[in-house]
Amino acid sequence: MKRLAGGCLAALSFVATLVLVALPASSGSSLISPVVAIATTPSGNGHWLVDATGRLTTDGDAVLAGSLAGRPLRQPVVGIAAVPTGRGYWLVARDGGVFSFGDARFYGSAGAVHLNQPVVGIAASPTGRGYWLVARDGGIFGFGDAAFHGSTGGVRLNQPIVGMAASPSGRGYWLAARDGGIFNFGDAPFKGSASGTRLNRSIVGLARTPTGNGYWLVAGDGKVFNFGDAPFTGHGSAETVAVATGGGYALASSTGVVAAFRLAAPNAPTSPSSPTPSAPTGATRPLPAPPTGESGSGSNGGSSGGGGGSGGGGGGGFSSPPPTVPVPPSTTTTTTTTTTTTTTPPSSRNAFLWPFASDSPWNRPIGSDAQYEAVAAPATTALRSTATTAWVNAGQYSHPIYQASAGDPLATFRRGGYPDTSYRVPAGAQPASGSDAHLHVVDPTGHWVDESWNTGGSSPNFTTGYHVRNDLYGPGVGAGGTRAYGGSAIGGLLRGWELQAGSIRHAVAIAIPGSQLTPGPIWPATAEDGNAGSAYHGAVHMGTLAAIPPSLDVTALGLTPTGLAVAHALQDYGAYVVDSSGCFCFYAEPGSEGTAMVAQLRGDAAALRSLLRVVTNNGPGSAAGAGSGAPRALPAPALQG
């Protein structure tokens, strides 16, 4: 790991025209949703998309040099960076593992380094002989000729870092936080930030201009904010998850739709009739929001506040003060070429990351004909009761999911009075803390999940209070499960990758106290607690679907980005009551415990509860959308294979 220095940049001017160009159809290995990152070719006429499993698809003049398709990964892929030749690229996983393809050489990784926070991205050095990895806390890891210039690793961030871009010289870089804060190091100049702007969805990345005298920040709803000599040339689509520099900027949605905005060759500067301010040019009100904390409060309009780094980083610092108003643009007009590429959306998804059939109740959007119970009606009143805490179970009482490989040890699960059950379990797999002790393992084929409740012991000898095997390609309900409602325990779980992306495309699982429940499960539930007759004293049936009515503008409620992401899921898909609990509870993967995302959702949980109303016409016959009618969201892609 190396450390860097500084330099300077020249100005560039453009002249303006708007052209629409359609790139050729995509090729490469079939993507498994969701898309997590994009890289563009040196010409800007092509791109690579990569999903969380390391599969890639290409478009235009991008060449497929290999992928991780079919290779077991301990952590999902989170980023891609191309070499300047365009004939190779690197992929980086959440644990800092680096995979090189084509003429991209391997210079090292953070896979063997203890990380305080996971890696979120990778940027190539201008020479292609090195790369930087950036972690959520702004820790920087430099390899090859990518030298270290500073980091936010020694600064507590109110909101995490989501991406980085290197300066044209390679002697500096920018880090972007989810609130739009910008942290600049080395010769990367500060040109403004969006940290004071009200964002309906959080920032997902940044791209710099060819000169390095400006940059674009992009939010999860596709809205673009431009600074310095970065011209505004258009927004992307809703569900934008990644951005790349390519003689302009290219935006990728989670479903593989790409909008590329390229800058034409520079011409002589011409003065405009009236200068235009370079204030961020996002729309006033878009869609969901990802994990963040308070609005930016650090230097350079960032999101700092104090705390530890990811290791290997080094102390932070800010090379230029935050301006109080946006920096005005140079007095030149801009020539742009806008390339809108509709890449074929991923035809399949990975059942480990996004389980169950597309028509599963868990993946079925709310329909336009859904009927909502009155606020004062008994079930909705009981559901909204404030007598208990609204919470998120992420550490205790949650649902860890492990992916087993064929090389993992064969473990035995013993249950008194029943035959032993054996299946492969990764070494070190542990049940969730708390008396429920859930432990779920996806088999090496990726088709089945073994779910265990009240798990004891350790590998390879476990005990279980109840075991069920569920089909990840099935409906996720009706075949038994280790939760009270009789379906799969992993249905409706908030996964770490989707909290990070700020996009939740399925119904959410909730549990409520027995005092709010009433005996008699309703579809899709097939069961309830064994003591329901004595412990249930309310008005809500196990299996009830509750949702936020579409008439409510959830973006105007002042929710945190994570709270807003969940609010959109509750409006588009709803929440199913699947268990009894001592609280009104959402469930997030144990790995997300301690993150700002879970902290935000816990802060918004009571507000979200107060918005829910019971859907009265949900049932197995309303296949187009829960509650029938036109669905509010696109169907989930088909499962791989």
Side-chain angles (χ1 to χ4, degrees):
M1 299 178 211
K2 300 198 176 170
R3 322 203 160 210
L4 277 190
C8 64
L9 305 166
L12 179 63
S13 56
F14 307 94
V15 232
T17 271
L18 187 65
V19 182
L20 290 176
V21 181
L23 293 181
S26 63
S27 62
S29 58
S30 176
L31 274 183
I32 300 171
S33 195
V35 170
V36 295
I38 180 174
T40 54
T41 59
S43 69
N45 292 325
H47 61 259
W48 297 268
L49 295 178
V50 63
D51 66 22
T53 68
R55 287 177 175 254
L56 289 97
T57 189
T58 64
D59 212 305
D61 61 358
V63 176
L64 184 68
S67 77
L68 296 173
R71 292 176 60 177
L73 295 174
R74 291 297 184 188
Q75 293 290 331
V77 169
V78 295
I80 181 173
V83 294
T85 63
R87 296 192 296 272
Y89 41 80
W90 298 276
L91 303 182
V92 65
R94 195 169 181 263
D95 59 2
V98 173
F99 307 86
S100 55
F101 300 91
D103 64 359
R105 289 183 56 193
F106 178 74
Y107 292 100
S109 78
V113 177
H114 171 71
L115 300 175
N116 293 330
Q117 292 290 327
V119 167
V120 296
I122 182 172
S125 71
T127 65
R129 294 192 293 272
Y131 42 79
W132 296 270
L133 308 183
V134 60
R136 275 172 56 89
D137 59 1
I140 294 290
F141 303 84
F143 301 92
D145 67 357
F148 180 78
H149 253 316
S151 75
T152 60
V155 178
R156 182 176 60 84
L157 300 174
N158 293 330
Q159 300 194 29
I161 298 299
V162 295
M164 72 178 296
S167 68
S169 69
R171 296 193 293 271
Y173 40 76
W174 299 267
L175 307 184
R178 285 195 185 279
D179 63 353
I182 290 288
F183 300 86
N184 59 306
F185 301 93
D187 66 358
F190 178 75
K191 294 294 184 180
S193 77
S195 65
T197 303
R198 182 176 178 271
L199 301 173
N200 292 307
R201 289 196 64 178
S202 297
I203 298 300
V204 297
L206 79 160
R208 64 157 173 85
T209 63
T211 67
N213 282 320
Y215 39 80
W216 298 272
L217 292 174
V218 181
D221 52 16
K223 298 302 179 261
V224 174
F225 304 86
N226 56 307
F227 302 92
D229 68 356
F232 173 72
T233 55
H235 295 303
S237 65
E239 306 304 325
T240 293
V241 295
V243 57
T245 298
Y249 53 95
L251 315 180
S253 77
S254 60
T255 57
V257 176
V258 174
F261 303 89
R262 292 180 300 164
L263 304 181
N267 293 321
T270 57
S271 297
S273 53
S274 59
T276 53
S278 77
T281 18
T284 55
R285 203 177 65 79
L287 277 163
T292 54
E294 303 168 19
S295 279
S297 57
S299 296
N300 292 359
S303 45
S304 64
S310 284
F318 307 103
S319 57
S320 53
T324 55
V325 295
V327 180
S330 57
T331 55
T332 59
T333 55
T334 309
T335 291
T336 62
T337 300
T338 303
T339 302
T340 303
T341 304
T342 304
T343 300
T344 304
S347 58
S348 61
R349 57 190 161 92
N350 183 297
F352 171 73
L353 297 171
W354 185 354
F356 308 125
S358 298
D359 60 357
S360 160
W362 289 113
N363 289 324
R364 201 175 56 162
I366 297 282
S368 58
D369 295 334
Q371 297 173 15
Y372 299 82
E373 190 179 67
V375 171
T380 295
T381 299
L383 186 68
R384 292 180 167 194
S385 171
T386 58
T388 54
T389 301
W391 189 246
V392 181
N393 281 334
Q396 284 192 324
Y397 302 103
S398 189
H399 294 266
I401 308 174
Y402 292 88
Q403 170 79 69
S405 69
D408 284 325
L410 194 65
T412 299
F413 287 73
R414 292 186 170 89
R415 181 185 178 196
Y418 292 84
D420 290 351
T421 301
S422 296
Y423 48 91
R424 300 203 177 275
V425 177
Q430 295 181 337
S433 58
S435 58
D436 286 346
H438 285 282
L439 175 63
H440 312 308
V441 180
V442 174
D443 81 327
T445 71
H447 198 110
W448 303 89
V449 57
D450 286 284
E451 303 178 9
S452 173
W453 168 79
N454 196 17
T455 312
S458 59
S459 185
N461 298 305
F462 291 97
T463 60
T464 180
Y466 193 65
H467 166 269
V468 172
R469 169 167 270 212
N470 263 300
D471 185 356
L472 294 177
Y473 285 63
V477 300
T482 58
R483 305 200 75 168
Y485 83 115
S488 173
I490 68 173
L493 181 67
L494 298 171
R495 306 294 290 271
W497 68 262
E498 57 194 5
L499 288 175
Q500 222 169 357
S503 176
I504 299 157
R505 294 182 58 191
H506 59 75
V508 176
I510 57 173
I512 59 176
S515 59
Q516 296 168 234
L517 289 160
T518 190
I522 61 173
W523 188 89
T526 57
E528 58 189 7
D529 287 297
N531 64 346
S534 60
Y536 291 5
H537 303 293
V540 181
H541 292 275
M542 189 69 71
T544 291
L545 175 67
I548 298 175
S551 57
L552 186 64
D553 179 7
V554 295
T555 66
L557 301 176
L559 298 169
T560 64
T562 305
L564 186 55
V566 174
H568 280 294
L570 294 174
Q571 199 164 49
D572 291 344
Y573 298 90
Y576 282 105
V577 178
V578 299
D579 216 340
S580 60
S581 176
C583 61
F584 174 96
C585 293
F586 296 107
Y587 291 84
E589 269 187 305
S592 61
E593 179 63 80
T595 65
M597 301 176 294
V598 167
Q600 287 175 39
L601 185 52
R602 284 173 176 159
D604 285 337
L608 294 171
R609 174 178 61 183
S610 73
L611 304 175
L612 291 171
R613 288 165 61 183
V614 170
V615 176
T616 60
N617 63 334
N618 184 47
S622 49
S628 75
R632 284 183 53 86
L634 292 172
L639 286 162
Q640 180 190 17

